[in-house]
Amino acid sequence: MKYEVVIGLEIHLELQTSSKLFCGCSTIFGREPNSNCCPICLGLPGSLPVFNRRAIELAVAAALALNSDVQEKSRFDRKNYFYPDLPKAYQISQYDQPLARGGYLQIEVDCASRIINLERVHLEEEAGKLIHSSESIMGSDYSLVDYNRAGIPLLEIVTAPDITSGREARLFLDDLRSVLLYSGASDCKMEEGSLRCDANISLRPAGSDELGTRAEVKNMNSFRAVELALNYEAGRQEEILAAGGTVIQETCHWDEERKKTIPLRSKEGSSDYRYFPEPDLLPLVLESTFIEEISAALPELPPARRKRLKEQYGLDASEAALFTFNRSLGDFFEAAAARYNQYANLAKWVQGDLLYYLRESGKNVEEVEPQKFVDLLTLLDKGDINRPVAKELLSEIVLSGTSPQKMIRDKGLGRISGDEQLLPIVEKVIAENPDAIENYRQGKEKAMAFLVGRVMALTGGRADPGEANKLLKEKISRK
Amino acid sequence: MKIYEQTAANLSKLLQNKEVSSVEVVQSFLDRIELIEPYLKSFITHTPAMALDMASTVDNRRAGGEKLHPLAGVPIAIKDNISTRGLRTTCASRILENYIPPYDATVVETLKQVGMPLLGKTNMDEFAMGSSTENSAFYPSRNPWNLERVPGGSSGGSAVAVSSGMAPLALGSDTGGSIRQPASLCGLTGLRPTYGRVSRYGLIAFASSLDQIGTISLTALDSAMLMNVISGYDLLDSTTLSEPVPDYTIFLDEGIKKLKVGVIKENVSEDFDPEVTAAVMKNIALLKESGAEVDEVSLPLTDYGLGAYYLIAPSEASSNLGRYDGVRYGFNAGGESIDDMFSATRGRGFGPEVKRRIMIGTYALSAGYFDAYYLQAMKVRTMIRREYEAAFKRFDILVGATTPTPAFKIDEKIDDPLQMYLSDICNITDSLAGVPSLSIPSGISSGGLPMGMQLTASPLKEGLLLKVAGFLERERGHLPLRPKVKLPEGGEV
Amino acid sequence: MAIDFSKEVDYVARLARLTLDSEEKELMAGQLSDILDTARRIQELDTTAVEPTSHVVNLPAVLREDVTMPSLTLNRVLQNAPRRQKQFFRVPSIAGLNSEEVEE
Ligand SMILES: [Mg+2]
Ligand SMILES: [Zn+2]
């Protein structure tokens, strides 16, 4: 029997505020343990939460960017469970009245457009962090708790079970991340834990409408891990079903080293979070003007930009994707394109050499002036410099920001040509390489390539190879 | 003139006229504490040095010609569920026996700004769960009117301190009667303000949607003066109300002509001690003689209030008390695994009544029971609020007894939780409705125990309650009620 | 109809993380049955079409500005810690916890 894979994702995202969701403690990453803590985020007896306006704004911005329907009234609830990283033994979250309902993200899978629907977007608080005494949780006889993260605003995004493969999950996450970065809601740094993803995955006979028994997969620490874990888990479930077995509902961890999903031991009885309305916080009521202002302030979002980049500049799918995902590179491209209309050439240089030198130098594209870059391409187009020189100059533009014209003047980097400049060098090459001249005369064309190469070497690449070739032939035949 | 017998208002006058210094005032109360506290056990933590220190600061400021708040230099006792920075705050629980908050509750910060010396932290039922102060993990407090009797609870320590002259004023907290019931049993004025009138920031939560800090005092004027200090919007408590705070003392001298008074049938019940009801009716007669329009009103949902309260309060409590897990503060029983530690810490750290309520609340919120218990209780709460709204269309204030009987004996109800719960029967619905409610002395029983009368108004009408209380004080002309504390070895002080 | 709470005591105590000895359990089973019998009287009321009241304050939530405030010093944060190690709170092994209760 053929099976189809059904995947739903649950994404947690730390919102980019200065202070925590319910208190004034800083959200800065990497501070000394337990130094960003106060009575509120430590859950000290008697402390009370107060909403951070910015967190609400960012959550609304993210929800709007995901086409989710922001609710005029939403409510906060307590999710009760005991865990040492949870200071109050409940998480302030949203249960049956979330911040936003529904929504979707349009993604591209193999050049085809797919809609992944969302169920909800809601706001909640982050927990603290546990550090285990040994590598694995099971092997640790004690753990250490750091509450610096406790209380940082988290956005939870829950998708519908619309995703059909590990690869699709990864593509969705790429696009989701991009949309969230554009919305300004989060820095989406998976390595710092500011974006995390859990998945529900089940299999069903192809064409069936019913959902199979699902497994929950956690501990996937990169988008690549999500793809691998879900593919692995889909394969595991298919084997079970194909052998006539049944999948049991369980939670498993992705083991990055062994590249497999490991079921977690689960005690009898399922969780019972005893949700109830948070009495310390009144319902969140958002005026329509508040939502409209945030909506108006949203930038052009990735799906729209990608489409426009193709139409406006004739870019291909991968170029449009690159300039969308890498927002600042895309911004640079568009700034340069406003001054230079050879878009294909521009795109080639931006994604090729520019990106290379940026990586080499560790600089940000924001530090490069589009005008200087465009000047460089124009000099090259006019033949004032050649490609090797252009690359050298580009490297320098990235490093120091010096204008290409100035460098050409100062370093004498212009082209070497004509009888006055190039001829003496040609003559020197002929004088130094009698064997090659002899070979050429005997009809070995390769010898000419060697001689041109010598000219190029002596001019530091600043000669035009065609001109060198022409002069060499003239000189040799005259002799 | 004994300083410790003065009302806060009198002390305020004496201090402002520089007839006494704050240090003298504080010393008088400290002496009184030294004399009778061993018999009454109203405090958990004494802070004599801190009190004297704050007093001398106020004296210096006054000597320097600074304009001070009327209550500057008047000392106060604070219930031990209100956080005090650097000062042990236990909630009368083993689990917080050594807990030292690193911050002050908003009300404490305000008291410090005003310059009210802190005499100590008062005894209470553990986590404010109880009606007799017998649920204190440390020791029960005793009623100064009769040492064999309970002072009520959970703010029992605060009531004892004020009643016996160990403090002129005290802060308590009231979730389902915890200010009004002990005030009634000790012959005091106890005000539970409108929910949201006083900041809860720093008040260790029992049931967040019901908890309110309020005043325990000898007179309505003292309560009004203290309300002027503690009321108002607080940025740190989202549930506080932003309405401006009136000067509550201005209501005291107003007349009560045409005041529409509703006597709550259920709170002058035939099941109550007849003396309690008679005392209430006597006071109502006074109101009537002075031009108030009195009529009876039935609030039939009062019968269901207890049920709703004993689902909502324990449910919220079960969540609020989850944080006592031995990780960040408080008692820790140790254990091999984290779960062992959680369960042992909580099993040994909490007393029986607290565990009982955590169990009820956990059960009421758990999957499968939520709708039938918690949700139904919240709907009943809506119905109760509507019943009050309807009543306040007809009446300005509602009156009845505060408690069905005067103070009961120590150990009398401790083994029967339901009987204990019933002693708050008149107080609970006001709490559920979120309306202000005041208990004032109504008389002394033939057994020599004080009895109380409860006045209830619509939200933010504390001034109206204080007005009626002030009027009755003047009419009766015998307040404040002061017990002679009979010492076990003989003698009265 | 009285509820026999004895069946529930173990489950609820586990949910609430309360170790109870057998005496406590027995006492509690009886007391909780009585209390719940009283509480259950509210089920007599017809509450169809009644909205629940979770807050008596009928106002929307207050929002504060996103401004950082000084945190507590590390000493203050840890001063009440029953077990600490360097700048951390220390807890026993979390192995064996019900995985369902580990999510956020
Ligand atoms: Mg969540
Ligand atoms: Zn904080």
Side-chain angles (χ1 to χ4, degrees):
Chain A
M1 197 191 299
K2 265 197 75 69
Y3 294 98
E4 62 188 31
V5 182
V6 180
I7 296 169
L9 299 179
E10 208 182 282
I11 296 102
H12 285 93
L13 187 77
E14 286 186 358
L15 297 174
Q16 234 171 168
T17 52
S18 313
S19 64
K20 293 183 178 181
L21 181 53
F22 298 123
C23 66
C25 289
S26 166
T27 56
I28 288 178
F29 181 79
R31 287 262 176 94
E32 183 181 13
N34 291 308
S35 62
N36 287 354
C37 298
C38 73
I40 297 166
C41 56
L42 279 175
L44 293 192
S47 65
L48 297 171
V50 181
F51 283 116
N52 177 340
R53 174 191 297 274
R54 185 76 187 135
I56 310 281
E57 287 168 355
L58 292 176
V60 168
L64 291 171
L66 295 168
N67 309 295
S68 191
D69 185 13
V70 175
Q71 305 291 297
E72 194 190 311
K73 185 175 172 184
S74 69
R75 199 183 63 199
F76 285 76
D77 299 278
R78 292 186 182 178
K79 180 179 183 177
N80 297 284
Y81 64 96
F82 289 89
Y83 205 65
D85 68 5
L86 193 67
K88 302 184 292 297
Y90 56 81
Q91 180 196 33
I92 302 179
S93 180
Q94 297 192 282
Y95 183 51
D96 54 2
Q97 295 180 32
L99 181 82
R101 294 175 194 270
Y104 64 89
L105 189 61
Q106 190 175 346
I107 65 169
E108 277 184 35
V109 182
D110 303 326
C111 295
S113 182
R114 285 264 293 129
I115 296 278
I116 306 296
N117 289 294
L118 305 181
E119 283 183 349
R120 58 189 279 154
V121 176
H122 79 243
L123 195 55
E124 59 187 29
E125 59 179 332
E126 176 73 289
K129 195 176 157 209
L130 285 174
I131 292 126
H132 305 298
S133 60
S134 79
E135 282 294 301
S136 84
I137 292 180
M138 295 304 167
S140 301
D141 50 1
Y142 68 89
S143 299
L144 301 175
V145 201
D146 170 11
Y147 293 105
N148 278 354
R149 281 197 347 189
I152 287 178
L154 273 189
L155 197 68
E156 179 173 325
I157 300 162
V158 183
T159 77
D162 282 357
I163 297 167
T164 58
S165 70
R167 194 168 103 79
E168 205 169 276
R170 183 179 174 173
L171 291 170
F172 169 79
L173 288 171
D174 280 338
D175 278 16
L176 180 78
R177 182 172 173 277
S178 171
V179 168
L180 293 168
L181 283 171
Y182 272 70
S183 74
S186 175
D187 60 10
C188 298
K189 286 183 185 158
M190 233 177 164
E191 66 277 17
E192 290 182 10
S194 66
L195 189 157
R196 300 191 295 278
C197 175
D198 299 331
N200 285 309
I201 173 168
S202 63
L203 262 55
R204 65 181 170 200
S208 160
D209 277 342
E210 270 167 52
L211 289 173
T213 309
R214 67 195 164 91
E216 195 180 356
V217 188
K218 292 170 170 287
N219 195 41
M220 301 174 289
N221 294 321
S222 65
F223 289 178
R224 196 179 134 69
V226 171
E227 179 172 1
L228 291 174
L230 293 177
N231 286 344
Y232 175 89
E233 181 60 22
R236 188 187 73 89
Q237 291 187 16
E238 185 167 359
E239 261 177 46
I240 293 171
L241 294 174
T246 49
V247 174
I248 50 168
Q249 186 166 341
E250 63 185 352
T251 303
C252 36
H253 257 206
W254 171 244
D255 186 325
E256 186 65 46
E257 262 169 34
R258 290 148 75 190
K259 297 277 181 278
K260 57 200 289 194
T261 54
I262 314 285
L264 284 177
R265 191 162 61 95
S266 143
K267 280 193 181 169
E268 84 297 336
S270 63
S271 49
D272 187 340
Y273 292 122
R274 291 157 285 136
Y275 282 101
F276 74 101
E278 165 58 281
D280 291 331
L281 289 168
L282 301 173
L284 186 64
V285 177
L286 301 176
E287 307 267 341
S288 55
T289 50
F290 178 89
I291 299 170
E292 280 156 20
E293 271 168 36
I294 293 169
S295 176
L298 277 177
E300 179 187 36
L301 293 167
R305 184 178 209 190
R306 190 157 51 187
K307 188 159 168 273
R308 186 177 56 77
L309 287 174
K310 286 191 219 170
E311 288 168 4
Q312 190 173 341
Y313 305 107
L315 300 183
D316 66 26
S318 79
E319 288 167 338
L322 173 69
F323 292 151
T324 303
F325 282 134
N326 191 334
R327 187 182 186 181
S328 47
L329 199 67
D331 290 348
F332 180 88
F333 171 82
E334 294 209 62
R339 303 165 166 91
Y340 181 86
N341 62 10
Q342 304 297 308
Y343 301 139
N345 188 46
L346 178 65
K348 202 178 77 199
W349 274 86
V350 171
Q351 65 182 309
D353 294 288
L354 176 62
L355 207 51
Y356 171 80
Y357 288 119
L358 286 170
R359 285 194 188 123
E360 282 272 285
S361 61
K363 297 254 180 189
N364 291 320
V365 70
E366 287 90 341
E367 298 171 69
V368 182
E369 282 177 48
Q371 186 60 54
K372 288 178 182 156
F373 185 74
V374 166
D375 290 348
L376 181 77
L377 294 188
T378 310
L379 287 167
L380 179 65
D381 289 347
K382 285 197 302 197
D384 288 351
I385 52 172
N386 60 25
R387 277 188 66 86
V389 170
K391 289 188 183 193
E392 194 186 326
L393 293 185
L394 178 55
S395 152
E396 200 51 37
I397 291 171
V398 169
L399 268 175
S400 66
T402 321
S403 87
Q405 294 89 336
K406 181 172 180 342
M407 283 189 282
I408 289 166
R409 266 199 320 275
D410 293 356
K411 298 186 182 175
L413 285 177
R415 177 191 299 229
I416 295 174
S417 71
D419 289 355
E420 213 174 293
Q421 286 178 300
L422 193 55
L423 201 55
I425 294 165
V426 166
E427 283 172 342
K428 188 166 182 256
V429 167
I430 290 170
E432 283 172 359
N433 297 284
D435 292 355
I437 309 259
E438 191 51 40
N439 287 342
Y440 175 69
R441 287 203 170 117
Q442 284 169 15
K444 289 184 182 160
E445 281 296 322
K446 261 193 175 168
M448 179 51 70
F450 169 78
L451 292 166
V452 171
R454 291 305 306 150
V455 174
M456 295 309 286
L458 287 175
T459 58
R462 287 157 58 206
D464 176 55
E467 193 184 359
N469 188 304
K470 190 171 138 252
L471 283 177
L472 278 166
K473 280 181 180 167
E474 276 175 29
K475 281 284 160 192
I476 293 167
S477 60
R478 271 186 220 156
K479 282 193 176 167
Chain B
M1 170 196 84
K2 286 174 184 145
I3 293 176
Y4 70 81
E5 286 185 339
Q6 301 303 310
T7 64
N10 283 347
L11 292 173
S12 166
K13 256 187 233 146
L14 294 169
L15 285 162
Q16 289 183 76
N17 296 338
K18 301 189 182 171
E19 289 173 54
V20 290
S21 71
S22 179
V23 167
E24 287 170 301
V25 171
V26 166
Q27 194 55 56
S28 171
F29 285 101
L30 292 177
D31 293 345
R32 179 74 176 163
I33 288 169
E34 201 175 314
L35 181 66
I36 59 169
E37 168 66 4
Y39 307 101
L40 296 173
K41 309 300 274 177
S42 64
F43 287 90
I44 290 173
T45 304
H46 294 276
T47 53
M50 187 178 170
L52 287 168
D53 194 53
M54 289 172 79
S56 82
T57 306
V58 169
D59 286 340
N60 288 338
R61 284 169 64 190
R62 201 185 302 279
E66 209 175 313
K67 172 114 182 75
L68 298 174
H69 188 279
L71 283 178
V74 177
I76 189 165
I78 297 179
K79 189 176 181 180
D80 206 23
N81 60 351
I82 299 175
S83 299
T84 41
R85 195 162 79 99
L87 179 62
R88 189 169 79 120
T89 301
T90 69
C91 271
S93 181
R94 289 275 169 229
I95 217 158
L96 285 179
E97 191 169 1
N98 299 308
Y99 168 64
I100 297 175
Y103 77 105
D104 274 328
T106 297
V107 289
V108 172
E109 216 172 275
T110 315
L111 296 180
K112 284 183 177 175
Q113 271 163 21
V114 163
M116 297 181 71
L118 173 59
L119 291 165
K121 305 295 292 290
T122 57
N123 199 14
M124 55 185 281
D125 287 296
E126 183 178 3
F127 282 101
M129 297 176 189
S131 310
S132 67
T133 316
E134 291 165 287
N135 292 332
S136 166
F138 308 123
Y139 34 75
S141 296
R142 289 172 184 271
N143 193 317
W145 293 82
N146 181 334
L147 299 190
E148 303 302 308
R149 308 243 161 193
V150 302
S154 63
S155 311
S158 288
V160 174
V162 175
S163 165
S164 63
M166 291 193 280
L169 284 172
L171 288 183
S173 72
D174 187 313
T175 304
S178 280
I179 285 176
R180 293 161 285 161
Q181 187 257 17
S184 167
L185 301 193
C186 291
L188 298 168
T189 298
L191 175 60
R192 172 196 165 87
T194 310
Y195 183 86
R197 181 74 296 187
V198 178
S199 169
R200 290 184 296 120
Y201 191 77
L203 169 65
I204 300 183
F206 158 18
S208 313
S209 79
L210 296 156
D211 297 342
Q212 267 295 286
I213 290 174
T215 63
I216 293 179
S217 61
L218 292 162
T219 65
L221 179 58
D222 286 4
S223 172
M225 290 176 78
L226 187 52
M227 276 298 286
N228 282 351
V229 176
I230 62 173
S231 302
Y233 177 73
D234 181 12
L235 250 157
L236 294 173
D237 178 358
S238 304
T239 62
T240 47
L241 302 167
S242 53
E243 274 81 358
V245 178
D247 175 358
Y248 289 107
T249 62
I250 63 165
F251 298 96
L252 273 292
D253 305 320
E254 291 177 7
I256 55 140
K257 226 177 208 106
K258 298 272 177 204
L259 184 80
K260 296 195 196 73
V261 178
V263 181
I264 303 169
K265 205 175 114 211
E266 289 77 9
N267 286 358
V268 285
S269 160
E270 287 174 9
D271 301 337
F272 291 2
D273 183 325
E275 280 195 274
V276 168
T277 307
V280 171
M281 297 317 287
K282 217 170 129 186
N283 283 279
I284 290 167
L286 277 178
L287 295 175
K288 210 168 176 176
E289 283 163 24
S290 305
E293 295 165 13
V294 180
D295 202 353
E296 194 179 71
V297 59
S298 174
L299 300 177
L301 288 171
T302 300
D303 273 359
Y304 297 92
L306 193 76
Y309 178 84
Y310 276 97
L311 290 168
I312 293 172
S315 293
E316 292 182 9
S318 72
S319 173
N320 282 328
L321 272 61
R323 69 190 69 196
Y324 306 104
D325 60 5
V327 179
R328 293 157 301 280
Y329 42 78
F331 174 70
N332 177 313
E336 284 291 295
S337 72
I338 190 86
D339 257 357
D340 290 350
M341 184 195 81
F342 284 162
S343 300
T345 295
R346 296 164 57 75
R348 284 170 48 195
F350 291 132
E353 181 61 25
V354 173
K355 284 193 264 192
R356 213 151 30 231
R357 299 212 195 177
I358 290 175
M359 291 287 286
I360 299 171
T362 304
Y363 176 77
L365 289 175
S366 68
Y369 299 103
F370 181 85
D371 287 3
Y373 288 115
Y374 184 77
L375 190 63
Q376 176 73 358
M378 292 213 299
K379 289 177 173 175
V380 171
R381 191 174 187 182
T382 307
M383 293 170 73
I384 287 171
R385 291 178 70 197
R386 286 187 194 156
E387 193 167 86
Y388 270 82
E389 278 161 21
F392 284 122
K393 287 206 175 95
R394 283 176 62 202
F395 300 102
D396 299 316
I397 62 162
L398 303 174
V399 301
T402 310
T403 57
T405 65
F408 46 92
K409 287 198 176 108
I410 288 175
D411 286 339
E412 188 180 324
K413 299 187 179 185
I414 197 70
D415 294 324
D416 189 345
L418 260 179
Q419 277 311 305
M420 187 72 89
Y421 296 172
L422 282 168
S423 74
D424 292 336
I425 188 79
C426 305
N427 317 128
I428 276 166
T429 41
D430 290 351
S431 291
L432 288 168
V435 296
S437 186
L438 175 71
S439 180
I440 57 170
S442 60
I444 305 284
S445 75
S446 51
L449 292 169
M451 299 176 292
M453 166 178 177
Q454 183 174 265
L455 317 173
T456 306
S458 56
L460 295 173
K461 294 275 178 60
E462 286 84 357
L464 187 57
L465 298 177
L466 292 166
K467 173 170 97 172
V468 178
F471 172 81
L472 286 172
E473 284 174 12
R474 284 197 305 278
E475 285 296 302
R476 294 185 308 219
H478 63 201
L479 279 173
L481 295 181
R482 280 293 195 187
K484 284 281 177 218
V485 181
K486 290 196 181 67
L487 302 182
E489 59 263 38
E492 283 185 348
V493 285
Chain C
M1 180 196 67
I3 299 172
D4 179 5
F5 204 80
S6 57
K7 293 193 191 83
E8 309 278 358
V9 165
D10 282 324
Y11 172 75
V12 178
R14 151 87 193 144
L15 208 49
R17 299 294 186 281
L18 285 174
T19 304
L20 303 176
D21 60 34
S22 51
E23 207 177 309
E24 273 181 302
K25 277 184 196 168
E26 204 187 305
L27 185 66
M28 207 169 273
Q31 290 172 334
L32 296 191
S33 299
D34 290 349
I35 295 165
L36 284 167
D37 278 343
T38 303
R40 275 189 333 148
R41 283 201 48 219
I42 63 168
Q43 286 160 10
E44 295 164 8
L45 294 170
D46 179 7
T47 54
T48 18
V50 177
E51 285 290 311
T53 292
S54 46
H55 303 88
V56 288
V57 174
N58 248 337
L59 296 166
V62 181
L63 309 181
R64 71 174 168 85
E65 296 309 313
D66 182 25
V67 178
T68 55
M69 304 287 273
S71 296
L72 292 171
T73 62
L74 198 58
N75 257 346
R76 287 270 171 277
V77 169
L78 293 165
Q79 72 179 6
N80 286 292
R83 307 266 197 280
R84 59 179 283 193
Q85 184 168 318
K86 291 182 200 154
Q87 315 100 307
F88 295 96
F89 297 90
R90 181 177 160 144
V91 295
S93 165
I94 59 161
L97 254 195
N98 186 346
S99 66
E100 290 297 311
E101 292 162 34
V102 181
E103 53 191 276
E104 54 249 328

